[in-house]
Each structure stands twice: as structure tokens, then as C-alpha cells.
Amino acid sequence: MTAHASAVVVGGGVIGTGIAYHLARAGVPDVVLVERDELASGSTSKAAGGVRAQFSDELNIRLGARSLEAFARFEQDTGYDIGLHRVGYLFLLSTPEDVTAFEAAVRLQNSLGVPSRIIDPAEARELSPLISTDGLLAAAYSPDDGHCTPESVVHGYAAAARRHGARILRHTTVTGIERHGDRITGVTTNAGRIATDTVICAAGAWSRAVGAMAGVDLPVEPLRRQIAVTAPVDALPPRLPMTIDFTTSLYFHTEGPGLLLGMSDPDERPGFDTSTHDRWIARLADAMRHRAPALLDLRRTGGWAGLYEVTPDHNALIGEATSVSRFLYATGFSGHGFLQGPAVGEVVRDLYLGRVPFVDVSPLSAGRFVAGAPRPEAHRV
């Protein structure tokens, strides 16, 4: 156990390792990351791996676009191949209201340099031949989006952080955050105490408990989401985009020779249970029957459940607490944490160093809910 740290990062997923990497690379000495299990063992390892800049919120567009740039040079920066497939994201739109909303979002995205566009159903089917165009009005597509391997991103960041001097403590559980007045003085763990004046919470679905240790309210709830994987699929297009039926939230992309697919389940209630069940399969089958009937013939070969970290407006919490000195947080991404991880690492590094980040994240402060200023994200799955 190290006795002192300039900053203790809590959480060993993509957000935590990305922050540790950016801090250490910037020359911050004695950065310590604490993970209670193995790296990437929480939500990151259960993510679908999608990366995109197609959002409705300008902040999310900027975070997504910046992260896409980082994913593209990830192997050069870290030496790790993350299996990046820039095959695009395809949002299928079936209502006039959704078409209007996505048209406005595409205009905003284009103004920020994202090459998204609205396409007709025929072109959508050319891109994603497994879909049915019945009832489809239009689609939104950006070729720069895609998917990659979450665990590889985490281990790449962790290895690079270590090379720059960061220490990573696995199987180490944070049990408390010590304060003297409004100043943090240390972090206690099951392996001992770390003296520090800075804690950075990147604990995902477990962030509320970490925040409470410092007297900071982080309104994050865990919500189970499930993913299924299929047997090999004959003649899959080599550039099949991540395809999302926006009305039902059904999505799929290639996973090896088969497909990875999932969708939201409105019957789920907040909780930390990550066991799998088949209650969602009937709804999944209905969505496939409507939008991608070819998927019904595929055999499921596996799957898993993981946790979204959900906030009241389904948008991230990024910032620094006002009630206690030097408690920073990056959490509550509501399904977008993996794809925004690289950019968020940069932002938190700059907040720690007192620099101006490339984008103003103050609207994502946890205090926005007390102030009655939620920041909703519409393009979520």
C-alpha cells in the first residue's frame, strides 16, 4: 500500500483508467488508482462497445467527437489494438417527431464537424441489409462512428498510466474518505490508508456510495441492461454499421462472426443485480419481428448483464464538488461512459490542474438538479 498520493482515482473502468493515464502523462506525480476487483470488471466489460458523436446535446457531441479522435490514435498512443471498426452508426426512425428531432440534431452535429446525415429507408437497408423498411421514414447515419473492444481500452490506458508513473491497486476497496473540515485528508481502504488531498470518483454505478463518503450527493442509480450474442451469421456485410431502431431501442452490430444485440427493458428497476434472465426475450423478439425479422432465425450462443449508471436526466455528472475541497467526479453517463471515456479523461485532468478544458462541462455539474437545470440527452438507447 502506498502511503501518499497526489490524487486517488476510485474506479478501474474506462473512466478511471483514462483519468489516471491523462494525469500521469501530464506529469502529475503519485497518481493512485484504486479498484476493488479487476480492471474493467464493472460496467466497462459489459458495454456493447459503441463509439459515436451522434447526440442531441452539444456537450455530448463534442465529448464523443473528441473521443473518436483518441480511439483512432489509441494504438499509436498506448501500443494497444482496441479492435476499432469505424463502420458508422445507423439510427432507424419511424415517427415524424423522431425524424424532425434527428434532423435538428444532424444540423447541430454538422456545425460541429460531425459528418452525419439523414438518409432514406432504401439507403438504410443497403447499409444494414438485415432490417425491414416497413414503416421506416428515414434514418440518421454517420460513417465516423463504430465500435471497439472496451476491455482493451481499459488495459491500454492502465498500461500507459503505469509507464508514466501511476500506481494501480487492484482488489482494494475504498472504505472511507477522511476530511478535516472541508478538506480531504485521506482515503481508507481494506489494505490501509492513503494520505491525499484529492479524490476523483469514477466508480460508475457505485458512485453514489463513494460520494457519500465525502459528503457529496451524486444522484446515480444502477440499472441492469442485458446483451445477447448470436452464432455466426452467413454473408454479413463487412461494414455493417451499429444499427439502432430508435423506437424500440433494439440495436445490433457484428461481434466476431456473429452479432451482438440488445435493447432497453422498461420493466427493469434500479438495483445492483447483474444476473441474466429471459424475461426480456419476448420484447426483444417483438422488436426483431417488427424491424429486423432476419434476426429471429439466429441462435443465441451467450450473453451477459451489466449496469448502466443512470442520472435523472440521463446525462453525465462531471465536475468538482463545492461542499468539499478537491473531490472531483466523472460518472452517471447513462450508457455513454465508454464512448466518452478518452475525452472525459482530458477534461478531468484539466479540472485537476486548474486548466480550461477543451469544452465547458459546468452544465454537467451534479448541482444542476438542485438548481433545477437538468441537461437531458435525447439520443440514448
Side-chain angles (χ1 to χ4, degrees), residues 125-137:
R125 183 169 168 78
E126 288 179 9
L127 290 166
S128 189
L130 295 173
I131 69 168
S132 164
T133 58
D134 290 348
L136 195 64
L137 299 180

Side-chain angles (χ1 to χ4, degrees), residues 75-118:
E75 187 170 4
Q76 174 185 333
D77 288 347
T78 70
Y80 271 67
D81 178 2
I82 58 173
L84 178 62
H85 301 281
R86 298 191 81 167
V87 292
Y89 254 64
L90 181 69
F91 285 93
L92 307 175
L93 310 174
S94 303
T95 71
E97 296 78 13
D98 286 341
V99 173
T100 298
F102 271 80
E103 286 174 339
V106 164
R107 288 193 294 271
L108 176 59
Q109 292 157 16
N110 293 168
S111 75
L112 297 171
V114 176
S116 55
R117 55 193 175 93
I118 299 294

Side-chain angles (χ1 to χ4, degrees), residues 178-186 196-197 323-326:
E178 297 176 354
R179 291 175 51 176
H180 181 75
D182 64 355
R183 289 191 311 108
I184 290 172
T185 57
T196 189
D197 62 3
S323 58
V324 59
S325 176
R326 300 268 76 183

Side-chain angles (χ1 to χ4, degrees), residues 253-267:
H253 69 65
T254 56
E255 184 76 1
L259 292 175
L260 177 153
L261 53 90
M263 66 181 292
S264 62
D265 182 354
D267 293 334

Side-chain angles (χ1 to χ4, degrees), residues 225-312:
R225 294 292 295 267
Q226 294 198 83
I227 282 173
V229 178
T230 77
V233 182
D234 292 335
L236 270 181
R239 294 191 54 80
L240 180 74
M242 169 75 116
T243 303
I244 301 172
D245 182 42
F246 193 66
T247 300
T248 63
S249 80
L250 168 69
Y251 66 85
F252 57 89
H253 69 65
T254 56
E255 184 76 1
L259 292 175
L260 177 153
L261 53 90
M263 66 181 292
S264 62
D265 182 354
D267 293 334
E268 285 287 359
R269 295 295 175 262
F272 288 97
D273 185 4
T274 56
S275 61
T276 59
H277 62 76
D278 284 345
R279 294 192 302 274
W280 70 303
I281 297 300
R283 184 177 282 112
L284 178 68
D286 285 343
M288 291 190 295
R289 189 174 296 109
H290 171 69
R291 183 53 63 209
L295 300 181
L296 291 169
D297 297 328
L298 303 180
R299 180 172 59 88
R300 278 191 296 149
T301 59
W304 59 83
L307 297 175
Y308 268 24
E309 60 207 69
V310 181
T311 65

Side-chain angles (χ1 to χ4, degrees), residues 149-215:
T149 306
E151 296 93 332
S152 295
V153 174
V154 169
H155 290 294
Y157 271 145
R162 290 188 185 100
R163 288 197 297 271
H164 287 287
R167 291 197 62 194
I168 295 178
L169 307 178
R170 296 172 302 131
H171 303 286
T172 304
T173 302
V174 172
T175 57
I177 297 174
E178 297 176 354
R179 291 175 51 176
H180 181 75
D182 64 355
R183 289 191 311 108
I184 290 172
T185 57
V187 172
T188 58
T189 77
N190 63 327
R193 179 180 184 271
I194 307 170
T196 189
D197 62 3
T198 302
V199 172
I200 303 172
C201 177
W206 298 267
S207 292
R208 188 162 221 158
V210 175
M213 294 177 188

